[in-house]
Amino acid sequence: MNIAPNPNPRTRKRLLAAAASVAIAGAIGFGAVATGTAPVLAEAVRVEAPQVPSFADVVERVSPAVVSVRVKANIETTADDGSDLPDAFGNLPDDPQLRRFFREFRGFGDQDGRDGMRRFERRDRQPRPVAQGSGFFISEDGYLVTNNHVVGDGSSFTVVMHDGKELDAKLVGTDPRTDLAVLKVEGDGKFTYVDFADDSKVRVGDWVVAVGNPFGLGGTVTAGIVSARGRDIGAGPYDDFIQIDASVNRGNSGGPTFNLNGQVVGINTAIFSPSGGSVGIAFDIPASTAKQVVQDLMKDGTVQRGWLGVEIQPVTSEIAESLGLKSDKGALVSSAQEDGPGKKAGITAGDVITQVDGKDVASPKELARLIGAYQPGKPVDVTLWRDGRSETVKVDLGTLPSSDKQASADQQPSAPAKADTLADLGLTVTRSDDGKGLVVTDVDPDSDAADRGIQPGDVITSVNSTEVDGTDDVAKAMADAVKSGRKAVLMQITRDDSNRFVALPVAKG
């Protein structure tokens, strides 16, 4: 470009602007820029992409081990030949014309909300699809893991492989308490399988990859991080979930979550979702839990767990204060079942279990997991906090019943007319008919007792492990607590055939 010497200011300004345009165009990668003269060529800018993690290698290795699980159940289908009618019409007279009228009328919905009348003459039990989930092989001979809630109602099972091949599977065993199940696929060849990781090394913030069958799409991969550990979502007594933010939806149930080494750190089992879809909060059964349960299911199709036979509740800071404990760790025994091994060993209501075989018990959930990990019949040393000191008892564990057994209690007595007042506690009470405890007849709505959930009808059976049958016993227990420097008393409350403990402040007394 030629620029005349000493041009006037306006011309000079136009020429400088044109030159600047050429420079900018070259910098952003235009091949040529028209300037009124010959085009100026410029090279395209090339920036080397930064190195970022890729999940492709992991996914390529593990995908053949992940399958879709289709479940069918024998559902009774019926046909109406007109020979009978729904119970909703009652017993009609034996009039052919009247019965024909009701058979032909289809305007009513039956009691379960379906339109038309129920049909139940010819009954054929046919397998119908009832569930669809995910799973993964854990052995080359065809054992695979999924969720109990995926297969629990099924009668037949089909496994869809990574390449689309369909194989029949049989149910080996289930464990509803941890929501795990094992299937077995029979085949001539060897199956690609994956191993469980040591989830004790999993840290919050680690990358994870979930592979599964969301919405029946099959072979879907999502990625995220470990968001939290040790989550208790109220699913059962062994809650200890790993929370992840990888997208997990319906159909992912039973599918694996992998670390970057291709090992299973958890099994997708639940999501938190106000909308019904993924919002980035999913929960995995930890590999350590799954590994032990799966081994038991593969061995004999069931899981045998140790059983202590006690009902327990958390130790709050106020309860710890009332018992003279230094911390709010442990599990407070609210009752010991009559036929349970704990009661036979001398464990009673009011004891706080602090250790099992030298392992600290942080909470009731921790105690349930520790006891459940032992085999029935195993003798264990249970350390208790009782009457202000620590002692140890030996318990021969029983077998956990198939359903949770409730401690038995006498029927709650009716309250006599005369009532006494525990003004400092905001309670009005009366002696029970059998003389064992005090029945609460009224609760001051502004009292600590009301704040802690005590209700009329509750029965106070003991205070600070001392049985009470009158208000004098309560007053004495409160006075003893004050002399000992404690700020609360621990009341044992019976309601609806179950026991619990409540700590009430005694500073006013």
Side-chain angles (χ1 to χ4, degrees):
M1 178 182 298
N2 295 322
I3 299 178
N6 299 320
N8 61 54
R10 182 176 298 176
T11 302
R12 181 178 179 83
K13 185 176 181 180
R14 288 201 302 269
L15 293 173
L16 290 174
S21 297
V22 173
I24 293 173
I28 63 176
F30 288 135
V33 178
T35 62
T37 59
V40 178
L41 299 178
E43 293 184 0
V45 174
R46 298 183 182 276
V47 179
E48 185 175 350
Q51 295 297 315
V52 295
S54 173
F55 307 109
D57 290 340
V58 175
V59 173
E60 185 178 4
R61 295 201 315 270
V62 304
S63 289
V66 183
V67 300
S68 300
V69 179
R70 295 177 183 171
V71 182
K72 293 182 180 181
N74 287 328
I75 297 178
E76 185 173 284
T77 61
T78 60
D80 182 11
D81 64 2
S83 62
D84 207 345
L85 292 167
D87 295 337
F89 291 108
N91 296 320
L92 295 175
D94 190 15
D95 186 327
Q97 291 184 344
L98 181 64
R99 300 183 72 84
R100 185 182 306 112
F101 168 79
F102 281 105
R103 282 200 303 271
E104 294 174 354
F105 191 81
R106 293 295 184 260
F108 293 106
D110 65 15
Q111 293 177 352
D112 59 10
R114 293 172 296 181
D115 291 333
M117 293 193 293
R118 287 169 288 184
R119 300 160 170 77
F120 45 91
E121 301 323 308
R122 189 184 75 250
R123 294 175 169 85
D124 297 322
R125 295 189 64 82
Q126 300 177 356
R128 298 288 182 88
V130 294
Q132 190 166 245
S134 305
F136 59 97
F137 286 107
I138 55 169
S139 70
E140 65 178 12
D141 57 347
Y143 284 97
L144 63 94
V145 179
T146 186
N147 279 151
N148 172 70
H149 77 257
V150 171
V151 302
D153 295 328
S155 59
S156 63
F157 313 95
T158 301
V159 169
V160 183
M161 305 290 288
H162 179 63
D163 59 4
K165 184 178 180 180
E166 298 186 4
L167 300 172
D168 292 334
K170 66 177 182 179
L171 183 63
V172 175
T174 64
D175 181 40
R177 286 186 171 91
T178 56
D179 195 24
L180 290 168
V182 174
L183 298 173
K184 178 68 163 62
V185 174
E186 300 296 342
D188 297 333
K190 296 181 179 180
F191 296 95
T192 301
Y193 67 96
V194 290
D195 293 323
F196 287 110
D198 180 0
D199 63 68
S200 66
K201 298 179 181 179
V202 174
R203 300 180 303 164
V204 174
D206 282 349
W207 282 108
V208 289
V209 178
V211 185
N213 180 37
F215 304 112
L217 295 173
T220 299
V221 179
T222 57
I225 62 169
V226 174
S227 303
R229 299 202 52 174
R231 288 298 197 206
D232 182 351
I233 62 175
Y238 307 111
D239 281 16
D240 185 27
F241 293 106
I242 297 173
Q243 181 183 328
I244 63 173
D245 72 348
S247 181
V248 173
N249 290 282
R250 286 189 301 169
N252 275 106
S253 291
T257 294
F258 296 99
N259 60 21
L260 296 188
N261 294 322
Q263 298 171 311
V264 178
V265 298
I267 301 171
N268 305 145
T269 192
I271 63 172
F272 175 81
S273 174
S275 64
S278 175
V279 294
I281 301 178
F283 302 100
D284 281 8
I285 303 167
S288 55
T289 299
K291 185 176 182 179
Q292 182 59 52
V293 171
V294 166
Q295 287 176 349
D296 290 343
L297 292 177
M298 291 172 62
K299 182 179 179 181
D300 53 21
T302 60
V303 177
Q304 297 292 322
R305 293 186 173 91
W307 179 54
L308 192 57
V310 296
E311 294 182 358
I312 51 180
Q313 69 180 75
V315 178
T316 65
S317 57
E318 290 178 332
I319 289 177
E321 165 66 26
S322 68
L323 294 174
L325 281 167
K326 294 181 179 179
S327 68
D328 56 0
K329 306 294 184 181
L332 175 62
V333 177
S334 56
S335 66
Q337 298 185 19
E338 289 296 333
D339 57 347
K343 187 175 183 65
K344 293 177 182 178
I347 298 176
T348 62
D351 291 341
V352 177
I353 299 175
T354 57
Q355 288 185 332
V356 175
D357 276 348
K359 301 174 184 176
D360 291 337
V361 174
S363 65
K365 292 286 186 181
E366 181 69 19
L367 176 62
R369 287 193 291 269
L370 285 173
I371 296 297
Y374 289 105
Q375 290 295 314
K378 169 75 174 178
V380 296
D381 292 328
V382 178
T383 303
L384 308 170
W385 181 260
R386 175 188 293 171
D387 297 331
R389 64 181 185 274
S390 181
E391 60 181 88
T392 300
V393 297
K394 186 174 291 293
V395 182
D396 293 327
L397 297 178
T399 301
L400 183 67
S402 57
S403 60
D404 294 335
K405 301 180 67 175
Q406 299 295 324
S408 60
D410 292 334
Q411 184 176 359
Q412 183 172 296
S414 58
K418 184 179 178 181
D420 294 320
T421 301
L422 295 169
D424 289 341
L425 300 176
L427 296 173
T428 301
V429 297
T430 186
R431 293 185 64 183
S432 63
D433 285 342
D434 59 4
K436 297 180 180 179
L438 300 173
V439 180
V440 177
T441 59
D442 191 26
V443 182
D444 182 350
D446 296 324
S447 67
D448 292 315
D451 291 341
R452 285 154 179 79
I454 295 179
Q455 303 173 2
D458 289 347
V459 180
I460 304 171
T461 57
S462 70
V463 179
N464 283 355
S465 300
T466 301
E467 294 182 357
V468 297
D469 59 9
T471 55
D472 290 343
D473 296 330
V474 179
K476 183 178 184 303
M478 293 170 62
D480 291 342
V482 172
K483 291 179 181 178
S484 301
R486 299 177 184 175
K487 299 179 181 179
V489 292
L490 190 66
M491 286 190 171
Q492 184 177 0
I493 304 293
T494 299
R495 179 193 300 170
D496 297 332
D497 294 340
S498 64
N499 292 327
R500 68 187 183 102
F501 286 88
V502 178
L504 291 180
V506 293
K508 294 180 180 179

